[in-house]
Amino acid sequence: MSLENIWIPSSNFIQNTRLYKWMKKLGFTEYELFYKKSIEDQQWFWKEAEKELAIPWREKYEKVLDVSKGNEWPIWYKGGKLNVIDLALDRWVKNPKDASKHALIWEGEDGTCLSYSFLEIAGEVNNFAGGLRRLGVARGDVIALYMPMIPETVIAILAISKIGAIYTPIFSGYGTEAITTRIEASKAKLVITADGYKRNGKDIFMKDELDKALLGCPSVNQVIVVQRLNIKVNWVKTRDHYWTECMEGSTLEATEVMDSNEPLLLIYTSGTTGRPKGCVHTHSGFPIKAALDAAIGMNVTQGDILFWYTDMGWMMGPFLVYGGLLNGASIVLYEGSPEFPNPDRLWKLIDGHSVTHLGISPTLIRSLMKHDASWVDHHQLNTLRVIASTGEPWNDDSWLWLFKQIGKERLPIFNYSGGTEIAGGILGNILIRPITPSTFNAALPGMAAQVYDDSGKAVRDTVGELVLTKPWVGMTRGFWNEPDRYKQAYWSRWCDTWVHGDWAVVDQQGFWKITGRSDDTLSIAGKRMGPSEMETVLVSHRAVHEAAVIGVPDSIKGEMAICFVVLVETVLEKEQIRQELVSYVTKKMGKALKPKRVHIISDLPKTKNGKIMRRIIKAAYLQKQLGDVSAIENQKVLQDIFKLQSE
């Protein structure tokens, strides 16, 4: 890799990062020594972490970590009392200088903009908390949020937490079946929704979808509706309430004092395979892990402006809230499509709100880079300091496009990998080390990451299972009401070892790469391969814009690769391109890994936040039951894939 393709931090840059300043304060100047200490002495590290974030405890904890019940069930900050409201709002409101600063900035797809100071948000939260109390919501009750990315969504999250209830966010693009499944699994008694929202210039009607879903949810007895579109909706008088009504009346000043390990939220996985898993997160877990990763990973600090293009139903939605607000930064919410009305909407939003930290997915970038470069050139983007990415493995071409076209070869790309169950990241690109395309330059502090081979031995330069050998703050406290399923999912393969479900490789220099989900892995003639390896080769071809690779049964090799590609432009000689791509991959990867077939399709099945759903592709191609596909934004392409077997 030539030097122009690598981001290298200057000495001055390194010394001004929060990570380096923290390390130096603790007596370290080399990351390896600091990292080693962080995983060998967990009590020390996570105590220093909460001190660095200045967590305002109501009652100080007696012990940082208690693992008397095993690594699967750690108790963090044992005996500590707090509420996430203390961390995210109240400490800023108490200081007049901070109270007037922006906490939340919102832009609707129609161009409507609103902003709230920390003091204003606190007032809204207190009002809505009072409304929830009047409706009978109590500590420990579960409330479902089926909401778009609007200010009321954040206000609701914080108000629910203030009264000691538990929220479970549901992806705004889900259909009836997926909504019903999640509400039923959580046994939520109240749902907060909106009449609808705007996306791609259209009105999306949420209340109608929710009403159909609630026919199968007997636990729900009340619904609160935000009038985002101000349209007429079906109304159940004995059940439904307008948001504005709940905001009127007595405000609630008092905040529930919670045990540090009491549930804060339930985040359900996408549910594309089997029943969704409800990951339980606590008041001292998710917020502290998210805030620490934002602070020492992405260098988010007070006064910054953090924007992550996501949905509150995905893990990065709550991450945006806590990663920003706990650090005293402003958070930006955007309601609609990043390509409406023009392909520069995202870049326009960055300039318009002086965003300093941008979070995206690699798939979103692959979608945007197909447009003419002039859409980027119209914008300064000079407030940006860090670009973060998560959700999918990168390929080098799209990484370099982001680095050069958006980052102007000066901005670091904080590649970030973890998950819903992690409350943040396992791997990242720390900003005190060089960054290379598509990789991670470190395991994050406190995360005891290894790559294991089949025998459970740690390996380098070999693809294996990504594991964690010690618990961490932010680790899910099991699945909601399913402890045995949780243990089976993550702790059943090796003793006291979390098996994350990703294939990864780490080289001798300490650079990591995620090659795909381990259940997406191809095994061709005994050779294991993550799909992203072949996808990276495919997109390096001049004709290919995007690619997805799956494995299908083969009587000789056990499994063979089937490739799906989206072309850069319409090509008339499709059969010629197919043959050319088969030869191209074979030449690059070897005859043993020759694809069985390359299919040219118009698009790849993706979720709203840009994840390519390979397991759905495989099910459609093999003409099997697809299960819950309501997370897929472009479902029509599944019908095209279903028909490909006959080609």
Side-chain angles (χ1 to χ4, degrees), residues 196-385:
Y197 64 100
K198 295 184 177 295
R199 184 168 176 82
N200 282 317
K202 299 176 181 178
D203 290 345
I204 309 299
F205 305 114
M206 299 187 78
K207 176 62 162 56
D208 292 348
E209 201 69 42
L210 178 65
D211 284 341
K212 289 184 286 185
L214 291 183
L215 294 175
C217 302
S219 66
V220 175
N221 52 49
Q222 297 187 93
V223 174
I224 298 174
V225 183
V226 178
Q227 294 170 283
R228 162 68 181 110
L229 299 178
N230 286 308
I231 58 174
K232 187 176 181 179
V233 294
N234 179 58
W235 203 254
V236 181
K237 288 185 178 180
T238 57
R239 185 197 69 186
D240 296 348
H241 311 271
Y242 282 118
W243 173 276
T244 50
E245 295 171 7
C246 297
M247 295 292 282
E248 296 169 355
S250 58
T251 189
L252 183 69
E253 300 289 342
T255 298
E256 285 284 324
V257 180
M258 310 297 288
D259 183 86
S260 63
N261 287 274
E262 280 191 75
L264 168 71
L265 75 155
L266 314 176
I267 312 182
Y268 281 85
T269 56
S270 60
T272 53
T273 56
R275 238 169 37 256
K277 304 184 291 276
C279 298
V280 182
H281 289 292
T282 68
H283 278 257
S284 69
F286 197 115
I288 290 178
K289 170 61 174 167
L292 186 71
D293 284 3
I296 58 92
M298 304 170 197
N299 208 38
V300 173
T301 191
Q302 192 172 7
D304 285 339
I305 300 174
L306 173 63
F307 168 51
W308 207 293
Y309 182 73
T310 185
D311 187 274
M312 206 55 69
W314 304 133
M315 174 250 166
M316 296 311 298
F319 177 95
L320 170 65
V321 174
Y322 302 126
L325 297 185
L326 264 70
N327 284 299
S330 305
I331 60 172
V332 176
L333 270 63
Y334 173 58
E335 169 191 52
S337 165
E339 299 178 78
F340 184 86
N342 295 307
D344 64 341
R345 185 60 185 267
L346 202 64
W347 321 129
K348 185 178 180 182
L349 191 148
I350 291 166
D351 276 351
H353 300 296
S354 301
V355 171
T356 59
H357 293 71
L358 169 68
I360 44 80
S361 70
T363 308
L364 174 59
I365 293 304
R366 288 194 285 270
S367 175
L368 294 174
M369 65 187 281
K370 67 187 177 187
H371 300 294
D372 189 271
S374 63
W375 287 111
V376 178
D377 296 339
H378 293 156
H379 303 280
Q380 297 293 320
L381 306 179
N382 53 16
T383 60
L384 272 182
R385 296 206 310 272

Side-chain angles (χ1 to χ4, degrees), residues 490-503:
Y490 294 108
W491 299 96
S492 59
R493 188 165 181 186
W494 293 297
C495 181
D496 283 339
T497 302
W498 172 286
V499 179
H500 191 57
D502 280 342
W503 283 125

Side-chain angles (χ1 to χ4, degrees), residues 28-258:
F28 297 88
T29 55
E30 295 182 25
Y31 182 75
E32 277 305 318
L33 294 176
F34 173 68
Y35 171 74
K36 185 178 179 182
K37 174 75 170 176
S38 78
I39 60 174
E40 288 180 348
D41 191 345
Q42 293 174 287
Q43 303 272 356
W44 167 82
F45 176 75
W46 291 107
K47 181 176 182 178
E48 292 299 335
E50 66 89 1
K51 285 168 58 181
E52 175 65 15
L53 294 171
I55 300 301
W57 296 93
R58 295 291 187 104
E59 292 182 26
K60 192 70 173 177
Y61 50 86
E62 305 155 10
K63 189 177 184 181
V64 174
L65 173 62
D66 180 349
V67 288
S68 58
K69 295 182 180 179
N71 280 359
E72 307 100 308
W73 306 107
I75 299 174
W76 289 100
Y77 305 117
K78 186 176 182 179
K81 305 287 185 183
L82 77 170
N83 188 301
V84 72
I85 290 295
D86 303 329
L87 287 57
L89 279 185
D90 288 356
R91 62 165 157 175
W92 309 119
V93 172
K94 289 174 182 176
N95 186 331
K97 290 182 180 179
D98 298 328
S100 61
K101 293 178 180 176
H102 282 157
L104 173 64
I105 300 165
W106 173 73
E107 182 170 316
E109 192 181 72
D110 58 4
T112 306
C113 293
L114 294 171
S115 62
Y116 299 78
S117 69
F118 281 98
L119 183 61
E120 288 167 337
I121 281 283
E124 297 285 295
V125 167
N126 290 349
N127 289 341
F128 191 60
L132 291 174
R133 277 281 191 250
R134 290 192 298 277
L135 291 177
V137 179
R139 180 176 182 150
D141 287 342
V142 177
I143 297 177
L145 287 172
Y146 176 53
M147 292 279 280
M149 293 296 272
I150 56 177
E152 290 87 348
T153 307
V154 175
I155 292 164
I157 283 172
L158 296 171
I160 292 165
S161 303
K162 182 181 180 72
I163 64 175
I166 304 162
Y167 71 94
T168 181
I170 299 172
F171 169 49
S172 63
Y174 273 147
T176 303
E177 182 183 339
I179 300 166
T180 300
T181 301
R182 284 152 181 78
I183 292 175
E184 265 299 275
S186 68
K187 300 301 179 189
K189 64 181 291 185
L190 184 149
V191 182
I192 304 171
T193 191
D195 53 5
Y197 64 100
K198 295 184 177 295
R199 184 168 176 82
N200 282 317
K202 299 176 181 178
D203 290 345
I204 309 299
F205 305 114
M206 299 187 78
K207 176 62 162 56
D208 292 348
E209 201 69 42
L210 178 65
D211 284 341
K212 289 184 286 185
L214 291 183
L215 294 175
C217 302
S219 66
V220 175
N221 52 49
Q222 297 187 93
V223 174
I224 298 174
V225 183
V226 178
Q227 294 170 283
R228 162 68 181 110
L229 299 178
N230 286 308
I231 58 174
K232 187 176 181 179
V233 294
N234 179 58
W235 203 254
V236 181
K237 288 185 178 180
T238 57
R239 185 197 69 186
D240 296 348
H241 311 271
Y242 282 118
W243 173 276
T244 50
E245 295 171 7
C246 297
M247 295 292 282
E248 296 169 355
S250 58
T251 189
L252 183 69
E253 300 289 342
T255 298
E256 285 284 324
V257 180
M258 310 297 288

